[in-house]
Amino acid sequence: MPGHLEHTPQNTTSMYWLIKSEPFVFSYDDLERDGVTTWDGVRNYQARNNLRAMKLDDYCLFYHSNEGLAVVAIARVSKEAVPEITEDKGDWSVVEVVPHQRLARPVTLKEIKAHPELANIGMIKFPRLSVISLTEAEFNTIIDLSNTPA
DNA sequence: GCCAACGTTGGC
DNA sequence: GCCAACGTTGGC
């Protein structure tokens, strides 16, 4: 009997994230140098839950906080969340990320705040959250900005 | 369970 | 380096 529907794998949809790092602690240059890093030290439950929601190969905008104040690159999730080995009490998680692509130019926080399509972006609504989910549209808007002269 | 004190994040 | 915002802790 012909014509049955092929099963389409459902795990091909990537999700989008923004991860913050102080570049003088760990920058995108450091990630490129190291090839892979463990995203550890997250001590906020919402940020931790976001780490736990990350799936292999998800895209993560890499944001430099404190200095730079700009999205500089895209990283990808290379290992999903596992418990963090730590002396700290509590139930924490880590993922691993790898470098993917440096943006053509950094996209600054100032630009993000000024862009009408990014008015509801999590990083503005929750400025102290270090791991934030993005919609595909928000992700694409930032990528488009990076491909447009400042 | 409330709330004051404290610590941390992160923009300025 | 300062400080506002806000999450967490701990005394009551």
Side-chain angles (χ1 to χ4, degrees):
Chain A
M1 176 136 186
H4 75 278
L5 290 172
E6 268 320 299
H7 176 67
T8 304
Q10 294 302 299
N11 62 349
T12 53
T13 304
S14 294
M15 292 201 292
Y16 300 89
W17 308 95
L18 184 142
I19 56 179
K20 295 181 182 177
S21 185
E22 299 178 342
F24 45 87
V25 176
F26 190 82
S27 68
Y28 189 71
D29 282 344
D30 294 326
L31 181 58
E32 283 198 327
R33 179 199 62 212
D34 295 350
V36 61
T37 201
T38 300
W39 209 261
D40 60 9
V42 170
R43 291 294 178 274
N44 169 282
Y45 293 116
Q46 194 175 344
R48 181 205 66 184
N49 292 345
N50 286 340
L51 287 182
R52 290 178 178 180
M54 288 182 176
K55 296 299 178 190
L56 192 66
D57 295 333
D58 278 358
Y59 294 92
C60 302
L61 292 180
F62 197 109
Y63 176 77
H64 282 171
S65 61
N66 254 282
E67 259 177 29
L69 304 189
V71 177
V72 296
I74 308 166
R76 296 189 82 176
V77 176
S78 57
K79 186 181 177 193
E80 294 177 8
V82 294
E84 180 169 351
I85 308 298
T86 172
E87 303 275 310
D88 297 1
K89 80 180 185 78
D91 178 20
W92 304 113
S93 297
V94 297
V95 298
E96 284 182 7
V97 299
V98 293
H100 177 65
Q101 174 77 59
R102 191 181 294 272
L103 300 188
R105 65 168 182 85
V107 176
T108 63
L109 177 64
K110 202 172 175 180
E111 283 178 88
I112 291 169
K113 283 183 168 174
H115 199 292
E117 285 175 42
L118 299 174
N120 291 317
I121 196 171
M123 70 179 299
I124 296 173
K125 284 164 78 177
F126 311 106
R128 294 171 65 254
L129 191 59
S130 63
V131 183
I132 304 156
S133 67
L134 299 172
T135 66
E136 185 176 14
E138 289 165 349
F139 179 86
N140 287 332
T141 298
I142 291 171
I143 301 306
D144 288 347
L145 280 173
S146 76
N147 290 318
T148 307

mmCIF file of all heavy atoms in Angstrom, chain A residues 71-94:
data_model
loop_
_atom_site.group_PDB
_atom_site.id
_atom_site.type_symbol
_atom_site.label_atom_id
_atom_site.label_comp_id
_atom_site.label_asym_id
_atom_site.label_seq_id
_atom_site.Cartn_x
_atom_site.Cartn_y
_atom_site.Cartn_z
ATOM 1 N N VAL A 71 26.347 41.864 21.581
ATOM 2 C CA VAL A 71 26.368 40.486 21.091
ATOM 3 C C VAL A 71 27.503 40.400 20.087
ATOM 4 O O VAL A 71 27.567 41.204 19.153
ATOM 5 C CB VAL A 71 25.039 40.115 20.425
ATOM 6 C CG1 VAL A 71 25.098 38.708 19.856
ATOM 7 C CG2 VAL A 71 23.874 40.251 21.407
ATOM 8 N N VAL A 72 28.389 39.443 20.271
ATOM 9 C CA VAL A 72 29.564 39.375 19.402
ATOM 10 C C VAL A 72 29.603 38.142 18.511
ATOM 11 O O VAL A 72 30.326 38.127 17.512
ATOM 12 C CB VAL A 72 30.872 39.438 20.221
ATOM 13 C CG1 VAL A 72 30.983 40.783 20.924
ATOM 14 C CG2 VAL A 72 30.978 38.286 21.211
ATOM 15 N N ALA A 73 28.844 37.109 18.866
ATOM 16 C CA ALA A 73 29.012 35.850 18.137
ATOM 17 C C ALA A 73 27.857 34.905 18.430
ATOM 18 O O ALA A 73 26.997 35.189 19.264
ATOM 19 C CB ALA A 73 30.331 35.190 18.542
ATOM 20 N N ILE A 74 27.892 33.789 17.729
ATOM 21 C CA ILE A 74 26.953 32.693 17.961
ATOM 22 C C ILE A 74 27.748 31.484 18.444
ATOM 23 O O ILE A 74 28.756 31.121 17.837
ATOM 24 C CB ILE A 74 26.207 32.306 16.666
ATOM 25 C CG1 ILE A 74 25.575 33.540 16.013
ATOM 26 C CG2 ILE A 74 25.157 31.246 16.951
ATOM 27 C CD1 ILE A 74 25.115 33.277 14.576
ATOM 28 N N ALA A 75 27.267 30.893 19.518
ATOM 29 C CA ALA A 75 27.790 29.606 19.974
ATOM 30 C C ALA A 75 26.695 28.573 19.788
ATOM 31 O O ALA A 75 25.546 28.922 19.491
ATOM 32 C CB ALA A 75 28.206 29.694 21.434
ATOM 33 N N ARG A 76 27.055 27.302 19.919
ATOM 34 C CA ARG A 76 26.021 26.255 19.845
ATOM 35 C C ARG A 76 26.188 25.295 21.004
ATOM 36 O O ARG A 76 27.289 25.104 21.522
ATOM 37 C CB ARG A 76 26.110 25.502 18.516
ATOM 38 C CG ARG A 76 25.822 26.431 17.349
ATOM 39 C CD ARG A 76 25.677 25.694 16.056
ATOM 40 N NE ARG A 76 24.324 25.139 15.929
ATOM 41 C CZ ARG A 76 23.913 24.506 14.823
ATOM 42 N NH1 ARG A 76 24.731 24.324 13.819
ATOM 43 N NH2 ARG A 76 22.677 24.059 14.754
ATOM 44 N N VAL A 77 25.100 24.699 21.372
ATOM 45 C CA VAL A 77 25.105 23.740 22.479
ATOM 46 C C VAL A 77 25.711 22.433 21.973
ATOM 47 O O VAL A 77 25.215 21.841 21.011
ATOM 48 C CB VAL A 77 23.672 23.496 22.998
ATOM 49 C CG1 VAL A 77 23.669 22.416 24.074
ATOM 50 C CG2 VAL A 77 23.075 24.807 23.517
ATOM 51 N N SER A 78 26.786 22.010 22.616
ATOM 52 C CA SER A 78 27.438 20.768 22.204
ATOM 53 C C SER A 78 27.183 19.638 23.190
ATOM 54 O O SER A 78 27.469 18.481 22.911
ATOM 55 C CB SER A 78 28.947 20.988 22.048
ATOM 56 O OG SER A 78 29.506 21.479 23.251
ATOM 57 N N LYS A 79 26.662 19.979 24.369
ATOM 58 C CA LYS A 79 26.273 18.941 25.326
ATOM 59 C C LYS A 79 25.169 19.497 26.198
ATOM 60 O O LYS A 79 25.313 20.594 26.740
ATOM 61 C CB LYS A 79 27.473 18.520 26.179
ATOM 62 C CG LYS A 79 27.179 17.352 27.104
ATOM 63 C CD LYS A 79 28.403 16.981 27.948
ATOM 64 C CE LYS A 79 28.050 15.861 28.926
ATOM 65 N NZ LYS A 79 29.120 15.713 29.945
ATOM 66 N N GLU A 80 24.086 18.739 26.314
ATOM 67 C CA GLU A 80 22.935 19.200 27.104
ATOM 68 C C GLU A 80 23.234 19.141 28.596
ATOM 69 O O GLU A 80 24.242 18.585 29.026
ATOM 70 C CB GLU A 80 21.694 18.365 26.721
ATOM 71 C CG GLU A 80 21.278 18.641 25.283
ATOM 72 C CD GLU A 80 20.097 17.798 24.805
ATOM 73 O OE1 GLU A 80 19.484 17.092 25.630
ATOM 74 O OE2 GLU A 80 19.796 17.857 23.593
ATOM 75 N N ALA A 81 22.328 19.697 29.371
ATOM 76 C CA ALA A 81 22.582 19.926 30.796
ATOM 77 C C ALA A 81 22.862 18.645 31.578
ATOM 78 O O ALA A 81 22.204 17.622 31.387
ATOM 79 C CB ALA A 81 21.390 20.651 31.411
ATOM 80 N N VAL A 82 23.845 18.753 32.436
ATOM 81 C CA VAL A 82 24.150 17.713 33.426
ATOM 82 C C VAL A 82 24.358 18.432 34.757
ATOM 83 O O VAL A 82 24.612 19.640 34.783
ATOM 84 C CB VAL A 82 25.421 16.909 33.064
ATOM 85 C CG1 VAL A 82 25.213 16.102 31.795
ATOM 86 C CG2 VAL A 82 26.640 17.822 32.931
ATOM 87 N N PRO A 83 24.261 17.699 35.870
ATOM 88 C CA PRO A 83 24.466 18.344 37.164
ATOM 89 C C PRO A 83 25.866 18.957 37.269
ATOM 90 O O PRO A 83 26.841 18.377 36.786
ATOM 91 C CB PRO A 83 24.299 17.196 38.168
ATOM 92 C CG PRO A 83 23.449 16.195 37.456
ATOM 93 C CD PRO A 83 23.854 16.300 36.005
ATOM 94 N N GLU A 84 25.937 20.114 37.882
ATOM 95 C CA GLU A 84 27.236 20.733 38.106
ATOM 96 C C GLU A 84 27.892 20.116 39.326
ATOM 97 O O GLU A 84 27.276 19.992 40.382
ATOM 98 C CB GLU A 84 27.074 22.251 38.309
ATOM 99 C CG GLU A 84 28.404 22.950 38.557
ATOM 100 C CD GLU A 84 28.333 24.471 38.498
ATOM 101 O OE1 GLU A 84 27.293 25.015 38.092
ATOM 102 O OE2 GLU A 84 29.350 25.094 38.864
ATOM 103 N N ILE A 85 29.146 19.749 39.165
ATOM 104 C CA ILE A 85 29.944 19.259 40.289
ATOM 105 C C ILE A 85 30.472 20.478 41.020
ATOM 106 O O ILE A 85 31.285 21.225 40.484
ATOM 107 C CB ILE A 85 31.136 18.403 39.793
ATOM 108 C CG1 ILE A 85 30.670 17.311 38.840
ATOM 109 C CG2 ILE A 85 31.903 17.834 40.990
ATOM 110 C CD1 ILE A 85 29.720 16.306 39.438
ATOM 111 N N THR A 86 29.998 20.689 42.235
ATOM 112 C CA THR A 86 30.364 21.912 42.942
ATOM 113 C C THR A 86 30.290 21.702 44.439
ATOM 114 O O THR A 86 29.550 20.861 44.932
ATOM 115 C CB THR A 86 29.427 23.074 42.531
ATOM 116 O OG1 THR A 86 29.679 24.191 43.365
ATOM 117 C CG2 THR A 86 27.958 22.695 42.666
ATOM 118 N N GLU A 87 31.049 22.500 45.137
ATOM 119 C CA GLU A 87 30.989 22.502 46.597
ATOM 120 C C GLU A 87 29.750 23.260 47.070
ATOM 121 O O GLU A 87 29.295 23.078 48.200
ATOM 122 C CB GLU A 87 32.224 23.212 47.177
ATOM 123 C CG GLU A 87 33.557 22.612 46.753
ATOM 124 C CD GLU A 87 33.956 21.443 47.640
ATOM 125 O OE1 GLU A 87 33.926 21.594 48.870
ATOM 126 O OE2 GLU A 87 34.278 20.372 47.073
ATOM 127 N N ASP A 88 29.241 24.135 46.196
ATOM 128 C CA ASP A 88 28.089 24.943 46.593
ATOM 129 C C ASP A 88 26.900 24.044 46.879
ATOM 130 O O ASP A 88 26.695 23.046 46.205
ATOM 131 C CB ASP A 88 27.695 25.915 45.472
ATOM 132 C CG ASP A 88 28.799 26.913 45.167
ATOM 133 O OD1 ASP A 88 29.861 26.831 45.809
ATOM 134 O OD2 ASP A 88 28.587 27.761 44.277
ATOM 135 N N LYS A 89 26.116 24.437 47.848
ATOM 136 C CA LYS A 89 24.882 23.676 48.056
ATOM 137 C C LYS A 89 23.860 24.127 47.021
ATOM 138 O O LYS A 89 23.871 25.263 46.557
ATOM 139 C CB LYS A 89 24.364 23.854 49.483
ATOM 140 C CG LYS A 89 23.595 25.131 49.765
ATOM 141 C CD LYS A 89 23.164 25.146 51.235
ATOM 142 C CE LYS A 89 22.281 26.327 51.559
ATOM 143 N NZ LYS A 89 20.899 26.179 51.113
ATOM 144 N N GLY A 90 23.004 23.193 46.672
ATOM 145 C CA GLY A 90 22.009 23.528 45.668
ATOM 146 C C GLY A 90 22.093 22.587 44.485
ATOM 147 O O GLY A 90 22.999 21.761 44.376
ATOM 148 N N ASP A 91 21.136 22.739 43.598
ATOM 149 C CA ASP A 91 20.916 21.822 42.495
ATOM 150 C C ASP A 91 21.165 22.601 41.208
ATOM 151 O O ASP A 91 20.261 23.218 40.671
ATOM 152 C CB ASP A 91 19.457 21.328 42.605
ATOM 153 C CG ASP A 91 19.075 20.398 41.472
ATOM 154 O OD1 ASP A 91 19.985 19.834 40.836
ATOM 155 O OD2 ASP A 91 17.865 20.253 41.219
ATOM 156 N N TRP A 92 22.402 22.569 40.747
ATOM 157 C CA TRP A 92 22.790 23.402 39.618
ATOM 158 C C TRP A 92 23.164 22.553 38.413
ATOM 159 O O TRP A 92 23.441 21.363 38.563
ATOM 160 C CB TRP A 92 23.946 24.334 40.018
ATOM 161 C CG TRP A 92 23.594 25.170 41.203
ATOM 162 C CD1 TRP A 92 24.148 25.102 42.453
ATOM 163 C CD2 TRP A 92 22.591 26.192 41.279
ATOM 164 N NE1 TRP A 92 23.545 26.012 43.282
ATOM 165 C CE2 TRP A 92 22.593 26.687 42.603
ATOM 166 C CE3 TRP A 92 21.681 26.719 40.363
ATOM 167 C CZ2 TRP A 92 21.723 27.690 43.015
ATOM 168 C CZ3 TRP A 92 20.818 27.723 40.770
ATOM 169 C CH2 TRP A 92 20.844 28.198 42.083
ATOM 170 N N SER A 93 23.168 23.190 37.277
ATOM 171 C CA SER A 93 23.399 22.471 36.027
ATOM 172 C C SER A 93 24.407 23.217 35.156
ATOM 173 O O SER A 93 24.583 24.429 35.295
ATOM 174 C CB SER A 93 22.089 22.342 35.235
ATOM 175 O OG SER A 93 21.147 21.576 35.941
ATOM 176 N N VAL A 94 25.018 22.463 34.275
ATOM 177 C CA VAL A 94 25.914 23.053 33.275
ATOM 178 C C VAL A 94 25.589 22.469 31.898
ATOM 179 O O VAL A 94 25.078 21.361 31.789
ATOM 180 C CB VAL A 94 27.405 22.753 33.580
ATOM 181 C CG1 VAL A 94 27.809 23.384 34.900
ATOM 182 C CG2 VAL A 94 27.700 21.252 33.576
#
